[in-house]
């Protein structure tokens, strides 16, 4: 699968997890969904930061450089909000508010990646995107099993 298609697929999966958690009232179920969201986002940001963004940067255009820098900053904000969530009571109204903010951040970021960065990334060519996609899939699985062990 092309790297850009893999990332789009993961965006969809995370968005659907956010929809699910929005409809979930039970504290324990919320916590479990939150863990799933955190694991999915962690793996996704690792493969983007370690593999996909450097490839985009390799296109060596000013636009690519600006988009990558902005994306790193957005990941940073997402990580800050995620780090606070384990401390918030899932039965609390603040939990819902924080989840809404997180979901909006992620959605905005993912949409921008898809509309701008992934479009530009097509310049890497189909073969390059395919092989990058395979490597990213492998790395994603490895990161995910690491986070499962840690939990
Ligand atoms: Fe991203
Ligand atoms: Fe992404």
């Amino acid at each position: 699968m092309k790297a850009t298609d893999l990332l789009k697929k993961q965006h969809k999966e995370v968005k659907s997890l956010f929809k699910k958690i929005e409809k979930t009232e039970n504290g324990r179920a919320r916590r479990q969904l939150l863990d799933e969201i955190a694991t999915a986002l962690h793996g996704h940001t690792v493969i983007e930061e370690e593999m996909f963004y450097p490839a985009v940067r390799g296109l060596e255009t000013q636009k690519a450089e600006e988009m990558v820098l902005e994306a790193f900053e957005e990941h940073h904000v997402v990580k800050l909000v995620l780090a606070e969530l384990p401390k918030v009571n899932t039965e609390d109204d603040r939990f819902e508010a924080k989840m809404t903010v997180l979901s909006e951040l992620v959605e905005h970021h993912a949409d921008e990646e898809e509309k701008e960065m992934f479009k530009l990334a097509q310049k890497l060519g189909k073969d390059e995107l395919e092989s990058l996609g395979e490597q990213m899939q492998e790395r994603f699985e490895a990161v995910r099993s690491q986070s499962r062990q840690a939990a």
Side-chain angles (χ1 to χ4, degrees), residues 7-8 10-11 44-45 48 52-53 75 106 109-110 113-114 118:
L7 294 173
K8 268 190 217 168
Q10 294 183 349
H11 287 169
H44 183 79
T45 51
E48 283 187 339
F52 187 71
Y53 292 173
H75 281 189
V106 169
H109 172 73
E113 281 182 337
E114 289 181 20
F118 294 3

Side-chain angles (χ1 to χ4, degrees), residues 47-143:
I47 60 173
E48 283 187 339
E49 292 182 4
E50 286 182 2
M51 305 166 90
F52 187 71
Y53 292 173
V56 171
R57 229 173 198 162
L59 290 167
E60 289 183 341
T61 70
Q62 200 189 335
K63 181 82 184 146
E65 186 61 24
E66 279 169 12
M67 282 191 302
V68 167
L69 284 174
E70 196 183 315
F72 267 110
E73 290 309 317
E74 286 176 352
H75 281 189
H76 176 67
V77 178
V78 168
K79 285 174 200 170
L80 288 177
V81 180
L82 263 180
E84 284 187 351
L85 279 161
K87 290 171 241 157
V88 182
N89 184 344
T90 47
E91 316 268 354
D92 202 312
D93 283 347
R94 280 189 70 213
F95 181 84
E96 259 174 70
K98 266 191 198 293
M99 284 311 296
T100 303
V101 170
L102 182 65
S103 153
E104 283 170 1
L105 270 173
V106 169
E107 191 148 329
H108 161 84
H109 172 73
D111 288 348
E112 220 168 60
E113 281 182 337
E114 289 181 20
K115 279 189 203 117
E116 296 180 19
M117 196 193 283
F118 294 3
K119 217 164 146 189
L120 191 74
Q122 299 311 312
K123 285 197 178 141
L124 291 166
K126 194 172 177 291
D127 290 349
E128 174 73 23
L129 285 171
E130 288 276 354
S131 83
L132 187 61
E134 257 170 60
Q135 294 166 46
M136 282 162 56
Q137 178 74 56
E138 259 174 52
R139 179 80 179 109
F140 181 77
E141 299 300 338
V143 173

